Amino acid sequence: MGDTAGFVSARRLFLAGAIGLALWLGATFLWHVTYRQGVSLAVILLLDQDFPALLGSLLLLALAAPWAEGKGFALPRPTARIVVPLIVLLGMAAWAGHYALFQDYAISRDEEVARFAAAYMREGLFARPIPMEWEPYRRAIMPEFFSPFGAADYWTAAYLPVNSAIQALFWQLGDPNLAGPALLMAGLFALWRVALHLMPDRPDAVWVTVLLGASSSQLWVTAMTPYAMTGHFALNMVWLALVLRGGMVGHLSAGVVALIAAGLHQWHFPPIFIAPFILWMLLARRWTVAAFHVLTLVAIVIIWAKVWPTFLMHALGAPIDIRPSAGVADKVGSLFERLGDRWQPLVNITRYVAWNNILMVPLAMLGIAAMRWRAMIRGQEIALPLAMGCIAGCLLALAQGYGWGFRYAHGFIGPFCLLAGLGWARFRPQGAMRPLLIGMAITILASGYLVWRTHAFVAPYAASHRLIDSSEADVVLVDPRGGLYVTDLVRGRNGVPGKPMVMNLGMLSLDQVDDLCKSYVVELFDRAEFRPLGVPLARWNLGRMDALRAHMKEEGCDRPVQPPLPESFQDAFNAADNAM
């Protein structure tokens, strides 16, 4: 069928998508690369990962346009018997990917802090007491993202506790790295249930929704990590499924889910997702239900912005070292400050598009176009709150540092997929699945490239961590100069600081270095070790650290990190063979 019957042809969809995304990609390249505005880690990753993947996908999309229309392979009805095993397989792949792709290593400080908190929660603690001998060096051992409450005596993660608590639970069950895959499966299951609810007479549109989510590289690669964003995706979809179920049980359960989601790591993420649905309820004159969810948002602020910090202050002590930043005014002020200083919509949205299905955005645009405006004003169009949330998630395009795709919009991948399904149901003939299958094939090719480049980026840091962790010294001092984000290597083993105690050399005074060299066996990890492992070069210097290093050399306290000696002749032979 063609446009004359009220449908949008696959050819036009492919060409419009390719042209629109190409224009956005071109604008991103001009702004961030040609004119070098806002050069950051995101731009480095864009050039290495996203630009080639997205450029190739756009070319394939345009080349496939003439052959895009048609039925393709017929898909069975999306029943639980078929969809649930597919979701389980994706979860298993994400779990295996943590070890195969990320080499059992969490690259960013955000992830390490989440695992750090999970480790002390697993032991039944709210914080890790700082051993007395290490208190003078506490900030060099925990350089950032620590809570200010009782910070002279305790190491506590700056983030809210629920993500780490979930990891601690799975740790007790056997492996904390199962947490992300389990949440991914829960989110995809809820996405499928919502799609069935919204499009019961269009199984093909349900398949579009589910397969767009299942083929999202951002979803399943992020599920390999300790990032809280997989939890936001999952709980957002569970919340929506419960709201659409309706009734007292549905809405009360949704309220509980919202409270849990707000405690994952930062409380402001769920309100951004929920607020458009409250507007939708108000337009439909569902006053009682809207009032309940407004009260839920109030409860979120009270519990996580007021009660939790007060609890930490009483349990651990008054804030010290840095100002507390958990208050409502602090949070709102910080968001507006970062929007002014670190707003990068071009690069972040480009990364988001590259890491999701190539058809997700074009089909989501059809979902927005499918809205009937009079029905929307009466609160009868679910596409309205879905679209408002997606727009809000993309507009909050703050610099994220590391991330596979754009993680601050992670919780809106589900709404994007649902909008795409609604657009497909309105503008595509039933059963004509060839364009979806072509889009899946292109996305799988792009995903393979992204996975390869991600492995290449993570591998030097994972190797550096293994080298540091193998040291038999008491203390390893990390001199991060000359390497990109080498400070993130300052961490313990499985979230627990211990031997060797790893410290950031740049956060120590000359007297502290002297005391360490006199009292402990100290080794040094610097560019001589991490550059051969492949850590990207960063051109920066710090004169004070030059003086520290010169002093350490005079005192004979600059021995580099060395792996332990082989325990047997066979180990030595294997090591020599590997070196050759």
Side-chain angles (χ1 to χ4, degrees):
M1 289 186 176
D3 301 290
T4 56
F7 294 119
V8 173
S9 72
R11 177 176 172 274
R12 290 189 180 182
L13 175 70
F14 276 36
L15 289 176
I19 292 169
L21 295 176
L23 290 173
W24 186 275
L25 183 62
T28 303
F29 190 87
L30 283 172
W31 180 257
H32 286 286
V33 181
T34 305
Y35 298 113
R36 298 187 64 80
Q37 302 293 319
V39 176
S40 63
L41 176 60
V43 177
I44 294 171
L45 295 176
L46 168 80
L47 294 175
D48 184 68
Q49 301 172 0
D50 317 304
F51 188 87
L54 192 52
L55 186 62
S57 297
L58 293 174
L59 290 173
L60 290 173
L61 198 64
L63 290 172
W67 299 276
E69 195 60 76
K71 286 192 174 295
F73 296 108
L75 295 178
R77 293 189 66 83
T79 59
R81 183 172 57 86
I82 297 170
V83 173
V84 170
L86 172 65
I87 291 172
V88 171
L89 282 173
L90 280 169
M92 292 172 63
W95 178 62
H98 173 79
Y99 297 94
L101 175 57
F102 286 97
Q103 300 167 62
D104 195 19
Y105 181 70
I107 188 169
S108 71
R109 178 70 62 192
D110 306 70
E111 299 165 82
E112 166 59 18
V113 166
R115 184 55 50 85
F116 174 82
Y120 60 68
M121 288 182 187
R122 183 187 178 217
E123 299 172 25
L125 303 172
F126 286 110
R128 183 164 299 284
I130 302 173
M132 190 173 297
E133 64 176 311
W134 301 118
E135 281 192 358
Y137 314 101
R138 62 184 183 274
R139 291 290 69 87
I141 298 169
M142 176 69 76
E144 56 186 342
F145 295 167
F146 58 87
S147 167
F149 299 104
D153 302 303
Y154 297 94
W155 284 311
T156 315
Y159 292 133
L160 295 173
V162 172
N163 178 43
S164 295
I166 294 171
Q167 292 183 51
L169 173 63
F170 278 92
W171 210 337
Q172 288 292 94
L173 296 174
D175 187 353
N177 300 305
L178 283 167
L183 288 167
L184 173 68
M185 290 188 285
L188 288 173
F189 182 85
L191 177 65
W192 167 63
R193 295 301 303 173
V194 171
L196 283 174
H197 180 93
L198 296 180
M199 298 165 283
D201 57 342
R202 289 295 301 264
D204 58 328
V206 174
W207 269 122
V208 167
T209 305
V210 171
L211 290 177
L212 290 185
S215 61
S216 166
S217 304
Q218 178 169 332
L219 275 183
W220 57 267
V221 171
T222 303
M224 301 174 189
T225 73
Y227 274 126
M229 291 304 168
T230 305
H232 283 296
F233 161 73
L235 295 183
N236 282 356
M237 287 298 95
V238 171
W239 181 91
L240 182 55
L242 291 168
V243 165
L244 293 177
R245 178 189 185 277
M248 181 177 292
V249 172
H251 287 289
L252 286 176
S253 301
V256 172
V257 169
L259 290 173
I260 294 171
L264 279 168
H265 84 302
Q266 293 192 55
W267 59 261
H268 67 271
F269 281 96
I272 296 171
F273 175 80
I274 293 170
F277 288 95
I278 294 176
L279 173 62
W280 173 64
M281 295 166 188
L282 291 172
L283 290 173
R285 300 178 182 274
R286 300 168 65 193
W287 312 117
T288 303
V289 171
F292 169 76
H293 289 288
V294 169
L295 288 175
T296 301
L297 299 189
V298 173
I300 283 172
V301 175
I302 291 173
I303 291 172
W304 295 117
K306 297 295 184 183
V307 175
W308 178 252
T310 302
F311 165 76
L312 289 179
M313 185 168 66
H314 287 292
L316 305 177
I320 195 170
D321 284 354
I322 59 171
R323 69 178 181 86
S325 56
V328 180
D330 285 322
K331 178 64 67 180
V332 174
S334 173
L335 280 175
F336 278 103
E337 181 181 335
R338 293 177 70 193
L339 277 172
D341 296 341
R342 304 176 67 189
W343 193 54
Q344 297 181 337
L346 289 172
V347 65
N348 289 324
I349 295 174
T350 300
R351 302 205 67 211
Y352 193 58
V353 173
W355 281 78
N356 284 284
N357 190 292
I358 192 65
L359 293 180
M360 185 183 79
V361 172
L363 285 173
M365 294 298 107
L366 290 185
I368 294 173
M371 279 194 287
R372 300 160 297 166
W373 299 102
R374 290 181 180 177
M376 182 190 74
I377 294 170
R378 294 194 295 269
Q380 296 172 353
E381 286 283 3
I382 189 72
L384 174 65
L386 292 172
M388 290 177 67
C390 291
I391 292 168
C394 290
L395 286 179
L396 291 173
L398 306 174
Q400 66 173 3
Y402 292 109
W404 318 113
F406 180 52
R407 71 174 184 273
Y408 292 160
H410 201 82
F412 297 97
I413 293 175
F416 264 106
C417 295
L418 289 166
L419 280 174
L422 292 168
W424 181 280
R426 168 64 180 83
F427 289 111
R428 293 291 303 148
Q430 186 162 345
M433 301 299 286
R434 187 189 291 175
L436 174 67
L437 299 173
I438 293 174
M440 289 288 293
I442 293 171
T443 300
I444 289 169
L445 289 173
S447 297
Y449 177 82
L450 291 170
V451 165
W452 169 51
R453 298 313 303 154
T454 298
H455 182 274
F457 187 82
V458 172
Y461 295 96
S464 296
H465 172 68
R466 288 194 297 269
L467 179 58
I468 293 171
D469 197 46
S470 70
S471 170
E472 295 181 344
D474 300 313
V475 175
V476 171
L477 301 180
V478 175
D479 181 346
R481 294 174 303 164
L484 188 69
Y485 290 95
V486 176
T487 53
D488 289 343
L489 290 168
V490 178
R491 58 179 67 194
R493 183 183 293 116
N494 293 322
V496 182
K499 185 178 178 179
M501 190 63 81
V502 189
M503 304 185 193
N504 185 338
L505 179 63
M507 303 183 78
L508 295 171
S509 67
L510 193 145
D511 289 341
Q512 286 178 315
V513 171
D514 270 345
D515 290 341
L516 288 170
C517 290
K518 291 173 184 174
S519 305
Y520 302 98
V521 176
V522 175
E523 289 184 345
L524 192 67
F525 183 80
D526 66 3
R527 72 188 79 184
E529 282 73 49
F530 62 69
R531 287 295 298 147
L533 295 174
V535 172
L537 178 67
R539 298 184 182 279
W540 64 281
N541 209 335
L542 194 62
R544 190 180 67 82
M545 289 178 69
D546 287 338
L548 271 177
R549 289 295 304 272
H551 179 74
M552 292 174 69
K553 186 175 181 64
E554 288 177 8
E555 298 295 321
C557 188
D558 62 343
R559 186 178 72 174
V561 169
Q562 297 290 338
L565 293 172
E567 295 182 359
S568 66
F569 176 79
Q570 184 62 41
D571 290 339
F573 181 80
N574 291 338
D577 183 61
N578 290 337
M580 294 166 62

